[in-house]
């Protein structure tokens, strides 16, 4: 842990890029959730109810907001109903496809922004480590090079730093991405259906136990 903490101390000079990385990941996750929510009006257009086939008005007024998936479904049906009655069902379907493409475009654009800034952090930290090792090598006495093998010194400057780059630095991105992802998904699930979310959380330890059991058996084999 002490070594990891020392490596993390090199991030102080890259706070701006770290903030941009978190910002990009957050918006990418949010647009990913929006892309999933687009399925509600999309399915409503593809598989309309019997009332909408007869072009009857289901909602006489705009649904009042309440924190649930029912409201999201109702407000989607409300606007789809208005647009389909005014412009036709084909126009609504094209509009939904365009919105879905735009949402996915923004999702991938912000994901690229996050990856771009993480690459700057990763390469910057490795550059700082290489410079520090190089400065250290220059001041070491000649007796050190007589006692140590040259291959070990070269491995410290090349292979070991590459391992840090692809293990520790990539883990840093997962530390920021995974908690955000879990938080947004849990909030979305609670919004859609609190009962199913509680059931999924209740079954999660059981699933984890079974996976650990099967994984242990496979490792022994």
């Amino acid at each position: 842990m002490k070594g990891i903490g020392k490596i993390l101390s090199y991030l102080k000079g890259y706070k701006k890029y770290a903030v941009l990385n978190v910002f990009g990941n957050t918006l990418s996750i949010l647009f990913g959730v929006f892309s999933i929510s687009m399925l509600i009006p999309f399915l409503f257009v593809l598989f309309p109810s019997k009332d909408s086939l007869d072009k009857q008005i289901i909602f006489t007024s705009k649904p009042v907001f309440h924190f649930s998936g029912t409201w999201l479904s109702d407000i989607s049906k409300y606007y789809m109903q208005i647009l389909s009655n005014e412009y036709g069902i084909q126009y609504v379907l094209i509009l939904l496809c365009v919105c879905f493409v735009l949402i996915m475009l923004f999702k991938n654009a912000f994901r690229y922004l996050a990856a771009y800034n993480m690459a700057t952090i990763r390469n910057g930290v490795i550059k700082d480590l290489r410079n520090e090792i190089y400065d250290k090598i220059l001041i070491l006495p000649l007796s050190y090079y007589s006692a140590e093998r040259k291959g070990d010194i070269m491995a410290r400057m090349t292979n070991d730093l590459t391992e840090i780059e692809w293990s520790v630095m990539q883990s840093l991105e997962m530390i920021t991405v995974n908690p955000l992802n879990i938080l947004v998904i849990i909030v979305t699930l609670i919004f859609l259906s609190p009962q199913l979310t509680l059931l999924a959380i209740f079954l999660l330890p059981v699933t984890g136990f079974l996976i650990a059991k099967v994984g242990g058996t496979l490792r022994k084999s």
Side-chain angles (χ1 to χ4, degrees), residues 116-173:
Y116 180 84
N117 286 280
M118 177 52 67
T120 303
I121 296 173
R122 183 171 66 242
N123 292 328
V125 170
I126 295 302
K127 180 198 70 175
D128 295 339
L129 285 171
R130 290 187 191 277
N131 288 335
E132 190 170 323
I133 292 175
Y134 180 74
D135 293 337
K136 180 67 175 180
I137 286 177
L138 290 180
I139 63 174
L140 288 173
L142 292 176
S143 58
Y144 175 82
Y145 297 103
S146 300
E148 294 291 331
R149 290 182 294 182
K150 310 305 179 290
D152 291 341
I153 299 174
M154 294 176 65
R156 296 288 186 271
M157 299 184 67
T158 54
N159 297 338
D160 291 357
L161 284 179
T162 303
E163 289 297 325
I164 292 175
E165 180 180 2
W166 292 108
S167 58
V168 178
M169 299 308 297
Q170 284 191 340
S171 299
L172 289 177
E173 186 177 14

Side-chain angles (χ1 to χ4, degrees), residues 27-44 69 72-73 76 96 99-104 107 181 184-186 188-189 191-192:
L27 290 181
S28 175
I29 293 170
L30 289 176
F31 277 107
V33 172
F34 290 155
S35 66
I36 297 174
S37 64
M38 284 293 294
L39 291 175
I40 295 176
F42 196 79
L43 292 175
F44 176 69
L72 183 62
S73 176
S76 301
L96 287 174
C99 291
F100 183 79
V101 170
L102 289 176
I103 288 175
M104 293 303 295
K107 174 191 173 184
N181 209 351
V184 172
I185 289 175
I186 289 178
T188 305
L189 290 176
F191 177 78
L192 293 175

Side-chain angles (χ1 to χ4, degrees), residues 2-211:
K2 185 178 179 181
I4 295 177
K6 188 173 181 180
I7 294 172
L8 294 179
S9 65
Y10 286 88
L11 295 175
K12 293 179 181 179
Y14 302 93
K15 292 180 181 179
K16 179 181 72 174
Y17 300 102
V19 172
L20 289 174
N21 175 261
V22 174
F23 176 75
N25 281 323
T26 303
L27 290 181
S28 175
I29 293 170
L30 289 176
F31 277 107
V33 172
F34 290 155
S35 66
I36 297 174
S37 64
M38 284 293 294
L39 291 175
I40 295 176
F42 196 79
L43 292 175
F44 176 69
V45 172
L46 291 179
F47 307 102
S49 62
K50 186 177 180 180
D51 291 333
S52 61
L53 286 174
D54 298 331
K55 292 188 176 180
Q56 297 176 357
I57 299 296
I58 303 175
F59 300 99
T60 57
S61 62
K62 184 178 178 179
V64 180
F65 174 77
H66 55 280
F67 191 81
S68 70
T70 305
W71 173 83
L72 183 62
S73 176
D74 290 344
I75 198 68
S76 301
K77 291 178 181 179
Y78 174 75
Y79 283 112
M80 293 306 104
Q81 184 178 264
I82 293 175
L83 291 172
S84 60
N85 289 337
E86 186 171 354
Y87 299 105
I89 199 70
Q90 186 176 3
Y91 172 84
V92 176
L93 191 59
I94 293 174
L95 181 63
L96 287 174
C97 292
V98 171
C99 291
F100 183 79
V101 170
L102 289 176
I103 288 175
M104 293 303 295
L105 181 64
F106 279 113
K107 174 191 173 184
N108 290 312
F110 284 114
R111 183 73 188 102
Y112 173 79
L113 175 67
Y116 180 84
N117 286 280
M118 177 52 67
T120 303
I121 296 173
R122 183 171 66 242
N123 292 328
V125 170
I126 295 302
K127 180 198 70 175
D128 295 339
L129 285 171
R130 290 187 191 277
N131 288 335
E132 190 170 323
I133 292 175
Y134 180 74
D135 293 337
K136 180 67 175 180
I137 286 177
L138 290 180
I139 63 174
L140 288 173
L142 292 176
S143 58
Y144 175 82
Y145 297 103
S146 300
E148 294 291 331
R149 290 182 294 182
K150 310 305 179 290
D152 291 341
I153 299 174
M154 294 176 65
R156 296 288 186 271
M157 299 184 67
T158 54
N159 297 338
D160 291 357
L161 284 179
T162 303
E163 289 297 325
I164 292 175
E165 180 180 2
W166 292 108
S167 58
V168 178
M169 299 308 297
Q170 284 191 340
S171 299
L172 289 177
E173 186 177 14
M174 302 311 297
I175 290 173
T176 59
V177 173
N178 287 343
L180 281 173
N181 209 351
I182 292 171
L183 180 63
V184 172
I185 289 175
I186 289 178
V187 172
T188 305
L189 290 176
I190 293 174
F191 177 78
L192 293 175
S193 178
Q195 294 82 4
L196 287 177
T197 303
L198 289 175
L199 179 62
I201 293 175
F202 176 76
L203 293 176
L204 192 61
V206 179
T207 307
F209 174 77
L210 292 176
I211 292 174

